[in-house]
Amino acid sequence: MAGQVRPFATLGHPIHLGALLVMVLPLIGARAIDAARAGRRRAWVAGALSALVVLAGAIASYSRAAWIVLVLVIAPWLFVALRAAQVRARARRVLGL
């Protein structure tokens, strides 16, 4: 990492930038998911692209704390999403849909 420039925006330190981006990421993701459920394709694509940019910024900040929090935020969300998909699939089988 020696010789690399870490992004810090106007926050003064890359760790602060990483923390801010990680805090905003779930909000952006929730808005994108709501747009997808409502059938607003443009809003969903914009939200998904924004989430990717924020994720890339958090990774580029080289803030280990931000990376750890990303894992702690994304892992439970994936677990809940996969569990919900299993429940829906089981309900379809039971109902014969």
Side-chain angles (χ1 to χ4, degrees), residues 12-35:
H13 200 278
I15 293 174
H16 301 154
L17 175 64
L20 176 69
L21 294 175
V22 169
M23 286 189 287
V24 171
L25 188 61
L27 301 174
I28 294 171
R31 296 284 295 189
I33 290 170
D34 287 344

Side-chain angles (χ1 to χ4, degrees), residues 64-82:
R64 290 182 303 259
W67 296 347
I68 291 168
V69 172
L70 274 174
V71 170
L72 293 175
V73 167
I74 291 174
W77 179 81
L78 285 175
F79 175 76
V80 169
L82 292 174

